[in-house]
Amino acid sequence: MLSAYINLYDRCADHSPGLRFTDISNSTKCSDRHFGILALTLLCPFPGMNAAVRAVVRMGIYVGAKVYFIHEGYQGMVDGGDNIKEATWESVSSMLQVGGTVIGSARCKEFRTHEGRLKAAHNLVQRNITNLCVIGGDGSLTGANLFREEWSGLLDELLQQGLIDEEAAQRNSALHIVGMVGSIDNDFCGTDMTIGTDSALHRIIEVVDAIMTTAQSHQRTFVLEVMGRHCGYLALVSALACGADWVFIPEMPPEDGWEDSMCQKLSESRSRGSRLNIIIVAEGAIDRQGQPITSDFVKDDVSTLVVRCLGFDTRVTILGHVQRGGTPSAFDRILASRMGVEAVLALLEASANTPACVVSLVGNQAVRLPLMECVQMTQEVQKAMDEKKFDEAVRLRGRSFENNLSTYRLLSYRKSSFNVAVMNVGAPAAGMNAAVRSAVRVGITEGHKMFAVNDGFEGFYKGQIKEIKWGDVGGWTGQGGSLLGTKRTLPGKHLDKIAEQMRIHNINALLVIGGFEAFESLLQLYEARADYEEFCIPMCMLPATISNNVPGTDLSIGADTSLNAIVETCDRIKQSASGTKRRVFIIETMGGYCGYLATVGGLAAGADTVYIYEEPFDIRDLQANVEHLTQKMKTSIQRGLVLRNENCNENFTTDFIYQLYTEEGRGVFDCRKNILGHMQQGGAPSPFDRNFGTKVAAKAMQWITRTLKDSYKGGRVFANSEETACLLGMRRRAMVFQPVSQLRDETDFVHRIPKEQWWLKLRPLMKILAKYKTSYDVSDSGQLEHVTRVRPKESNTSSAI
């Protein structure tokens, strides 16, 4: 049991509402556990690798184990010597924002030989390292598993050669392996997202956004080649995120005669008012005969084809290794940190009979899967493509990939029947426009006439409603804010006028995209059904708010963009003090009474302390935090970061905390204060929010279509059951449609937050990585599962993301 290994105790007690902490025995230490951490790839490092290294090192040290860096990957393990060094807490400071890997990564032909692995085993046994955390791709992880399988034989050889004694062989009798998958291509089966992928998407979208401005100015067609030698994930998701007209991926080659189809699609796009076309090509794209659609082909034949057939000015851009560089995104920092801690827990629980496992992400949940099952399925994808079984290849890629592809396919043109209105309610959130665009185009695809409501319910009762067509939402995915306009006005006082407008425009269904006000609005419309038959229609809400404070969902559209803004600002603020004396920054974030932005932003930025409303604190806690930070700043640590949620406490204001830290840190560090304000709302949406908004809106429109068909009787739509007024949200591993009437009991309406919030479980993790001693809840840690090959049929209420 895990409790036999971990020694944790309280320093600053955590008593967050709705959060259970595990009481872990402190009778046994892990000082006999020695961890080796390797950063390995077959090609290049990827953003987020350092965040994973930091998490493993600090969690390992926290539980009392010795942790070693193994520099230069397997080569360092084979060479030994100074390549294997013990890690300290301070040695992983200031790593979160750094791309690549600070411990190096290299190819190693010698490790592929038995002699090389024998040397590596000897170097590990000399340091009693029997737990390896390997960060890399399928090749690196397969090599680690082979090493594990040979371990006992390697020890026997070392014993026979007199290089180790019997005691050392007994002490190091079993090697435990846990992998974390890192690859910008997201080409490893068993996980929805690999570390580094989201950062690569950021680089791609930054380039696409820049290109789109010049393309629109000159009415050009741009062909962009992105990485993905064996996997089309980057191409597919970036196509969704920027609204590309055509995408080439290896898993689903275009049908024969695609040249004419593509030209027709580009021509139709221009005829609907678009001033540009975007074509995205994965570097490993192939045609139906398995022949590569190469860069030269893209440069010459496709460009020439477009110019010859359509007369469009065409340019080609090959992004190359720019996709691998740069600072990691907030998502990758958080993912790597969560995976790193989960990897340490998996190593602590490992026994001689435990297979090598890989830590994966499914939906919003960390899971452990047998390494070789994932590797085998990854290899089966390539086999299916080689055999031209492309549908099978897509299925093997997993639900996330398949849903991305099905969403992209939905975005094609058809005629309409039912009338569906779409609107934004509440504060603007990045990704709202991507959701509206997807809803409009999928709605048209599904056979509906789409209506746009401007300025929320205020515009609704004033009659600001008009039909919105396919071309009207062109280029919306990259736009921040709300192009429809949004207000916080609730419908309760204007139900008569809103019902009248629904009759005038014959609205048969309603899609509301917004934050807490949108949730309250849908509740009011649902409760008014008894008095207004016009509201007896299918109604769906998509959570879109930077605060992530809507009940019924783990994540909201816009929160990721806001987190990236917070993290980028924190990075710059810390960098601004480079070369000065020790300094602590006090930063105030938005979020109302919800501490999501502060907590998760603090985890991604490496904060020392985060103050939130959900976790009450008093002057004793503040004093303990100041003392803790002061002791840290007396070491080699030179930067401190304290985040405060804007409504965490009415008396302990940002000014008060700033003055307290300034006074108590006198002689050790000085302080600076920053209030981030509305910059957290602005800017272009992140790739995650573009893709998330696009997919959930498409899923919502499909639900609306099904519900309209089920509710259409006697020549009209009538829907008054609670299941016909839903919120679509992510719950752990799945996207779930939940009646808003049922979510009412899960909501604290006074403070506008859910009564239980999943991210509170990240609070202890954040504190552990900041060197606090605190209880850590392991009840929700991943358990070893098997790779699912046959998926259950999708129901009307839930589906995998």
Side-chain angles (χ1 to χ4, degrees), residues 753-764:
I753 56 176
K755 291 179 180 177
E756 294 189 8
Q757 306 193 76
W758 70 271
W759 52 265
L760 285 171
K761 293 185 178 182
L762 298 179
R763 296 277 300 170

Side-chain angles (χ1 to χ4, degrees), residues 514-517 519 543-556 559 591-596 614 747-748 751-755 757 759:
F516 201 87
E517 292 88 355
F519 171 65
T545 166
I546 69 168
S547 301
N548 198 34
N549 63 330
V550 178
T553 187
D554 289 354
L555 300 172
S556 299
Y593 286 96
C594 182
Y596 175 80
E614 293 90 344
T747 307
D748 176 354
H751 298 101
R752 297 161 56 89
I753 56 176
K755 291 179 180 177
Q757 306 193 76
W759 52 265

Side-chain angles (χ1 to χ4, degrees), residues 73-87:
Y74 287 136
Q75 189 65 56
M77 192 192 297
V78 171
D79 294 341
D82 290 339
N83 288 302
I84 305 178
K85 295 181 180 179
E86 186 173 353

Side-chain angles (χ1 to χ4, degrees), residues 141 180-183 186-195 197 233 331 335 339 358-363 365-367 369 374 377-378 396-401 787 801:
L141 298 177
M180 284 187 283
V181 188
S183 164
N186 201 31
D187 56 354
F188 192 84
C189 292
T191 185
D192 286 351
M193 189 77 88
T194 56
I195 301 169
T197 302
Y233 184 88
F331 182 95
L335 174 63
M339 296 300 99
V358 62
V359 180
S360 301
L361 181 74
V362 179
Q365 186 176 12
V367 298
L369 299 172
C374 296
M377 183 172 286
T378 303
L396 289 169
R397 280 286 182 218
R399 294 183 180 184
S400 179
F401 188 95
V787 177
I801 188 167

Side-chain angles (χ1 to χ4, degrees), residues 580-595:
T580 65
K581 61 182 180 179
R582 289 178 174 83
R583 181 163 290 169
V584 173
F585 295 95
I586 314 296
I587 297 177
E588 180 181 298
T589 66
M590 296 177 73
Y593 286 96
C594 182

Side-chain angles (χ1 to χ4, degrees), residues 662-730:
T662 299
E663 180 62 29
E664 295 298 318
R666 195 180 302 276
V668 180
F669 58 81
D670 64 2
C671 288
R672 294 291 186 272
K673 177 184 65 174
N674 294 86
I675 298 176
L676 301 187
H678 281 74
M679 62 156 290
Q680 297 161 78
Q681 282 188 326
S686 68
F688 181 93
D689 279 331
R690 300 184 196 201
N691 186 30
F692 189 46
T694 299
K695 287 203 292 185
V696 296
K699 200 168 293 293
M701 288 307 305
Q702 290 176 302
W703 176 87
I704 284 174
T705 298
R706 291 194 299 268
T707 310
L708 279 169
K709 291 178 180 177
D710 294 341
S711 306
Y712 186 72
K713 296 175 183 177
R716 69 188 185 108
V717 174
F718 184 82
N720 66 346
S721 65
E722 64 177 11
E723 290 81 11
T724 57
C726 283
L727 178 149
L728 173 57
M730 177 191 281

Side-chain angles (χ1 to χ4, degrees), residues 310-620:
L310 303 176
F312 297 166
D313 189 13
T314 306
R315 297 290 187 273
V316 176
T317 300
I318 299 175
L319 300 189
H321 278 71
V322 69
Q323 297 157 84
R324 293 191 180 275
T327 186
S329 67
F331 182 95
D332 273 332
R333 299 186 198 194
I334 297 163
L335 174 63
S337 297
R338 292 176 66 185
M339 296 300 99
V341 169
E342 187 68 33
V344 172
L345 296 179
L347 284 172
L348 291 176
E349 292 179 337
S351 66
N353 298 322
T354 304
C357 75
V358 62
V359 180
S360 301
L361 181 74
V362 179
N364 190 38
Q365 186 176 12
V367 298
R368 303 175 195 168
L369 299 172
L371 169 60
M372 293 315 295
E373 287 187 19
C374 296
V375 170
Q376 182 180 357
M377 183 172 286
T378 303
Q379 294 170 346
E380 287 180 9
V381 175
Q382 188 59 50
K383 180 181 177 182
M385 288 193 289
D386 292 341
E387 295 175 353
K388 298 183 177 59
K389 298 177 179 177
F390 299 113
D391 289 332
E392 176 72 4
V394 170
R395 187 185 69 80
L396 289 169
R397 280 286 182 218
R399 294 183 180 184
S400 179
F401 188 95
E402 194 169 8
N403 285 339
N404 280 317
L405 184 57
S406 64
T407 302
Y408 186 82
R409 284 171 164 171
L410 275 174
L411 299 175
S412 57
Y413 188 79
R414 294 180 193 170
K415 295 183 179 179
S416 57
S417 55
F418 288 115
N419 294 349
V420 180
V422 59
M423 62 190 302
N424 296 152
V425 176
M432 274 184 166
N433 297 321
V436 171
R437 170 189 175 272
S438 176
V440 168
R441 292 193 171 181
V442 173
I444 293 171
T445 299
E446 291 287 334
H448 311 307
K449 181 181 287 187
M450 300 300 297
F451 287 84
V453 181
N454 296 110
D455 296 334
F457 281 104
E458 184 175 317
F460 208 138
Y461 78 78
K462 291 180 179 178
Q464 296 174 11
I465 305 169
K466 63 178 181 179
E467 185 180 355
I468 186 167
K469 298 184 178 180
W470 186 278
D472 296 334
V473 292
W476 279 33
T477 52
Q479 299 293 315
S482 169
L483 294 175
L484 287 184
T486 181
K487 296 287 181 66
R488 296 180 182 270
T489 306
L490 299 181
K493 296 181 180 180
H494 310 284
L495 293 175
D496 287 333
K497 294 180 179 179
I498 292 172
E500 181 183 358
Q501 291 298 328
M502 296 187 86
R503 285 195 302 272
I504 292 172
H505 294 90
N506 190 28
I507 301 300
N508 305 124
L510 180 64
L511 179 64
V512 182
I513 303 168
F516 201 87
E517 292 88 355
F519 171 65
E520 291 181 294
S521 297
L522 211 60
L523 262 177
Q524 291 181 0
L525 294 181
Y526 168 76
E527 291 167 351
R529 280 177 167 177
D531 300 318
Y532 298 92
E533 195 173 285
E534 290 81 3
F535 302 146
C536 294
I537 59 174
M539 297 185 290
C540 185
M541 177 203 160
L542 301 181
T545 166
I546 69 168
S547 301
N548 198 34
N549 63 330
V550 178
T553 187
D554 289 354
L555 300 172
S556 299
I557 299 167
D560 183 73
T561 302
S562 185
L563 281 174
N564 277 287
I566 292 170
V567 170
E568 289 169 8
T569 304
C570 288
D571 287 349
R572 292 178 182 178
I573 287 173
K574 289 192 292 185
Q575 189 180 41
S576 70
S578 179
T580 65
K581 61 182 180 179
R582 289 178 174 83
R583 181 163 290 169
V584 173
F585 295 95
I586 314 296
I587 297 177
E588 180 181 298
T589 66
M590 296 177 73
Y593 286 96
C594 182
Y596 175 80
L597 287 180
T599 296
V600 183
L603 177 61
D608 296 276
T609 307
V610 175
Y611 299 109
I612 62 172
Y613 167 79
E614 293 90 344
E615 188 175 290
F617 57 97
D618 57 24
I619 193 65
R620 292 179 295 275

Side-chain angles (χ1 to χ4, degrees), residues 228 231-237 247-254 280-282 284-287 293 385 390 394 401 405:
C231 178
Y233 184 88
L234 286 180
L236 178 58
V237 174
V247 62
F248 295 94
I249 59 173
E251 292 87 352
M252 190 53 60
I280 296 183
V281 186
I286 56 175
D287 61 22
I293 300 178
M385 288 193 289
F390 299 113
V394 170
F401 188 95
L405 184 57

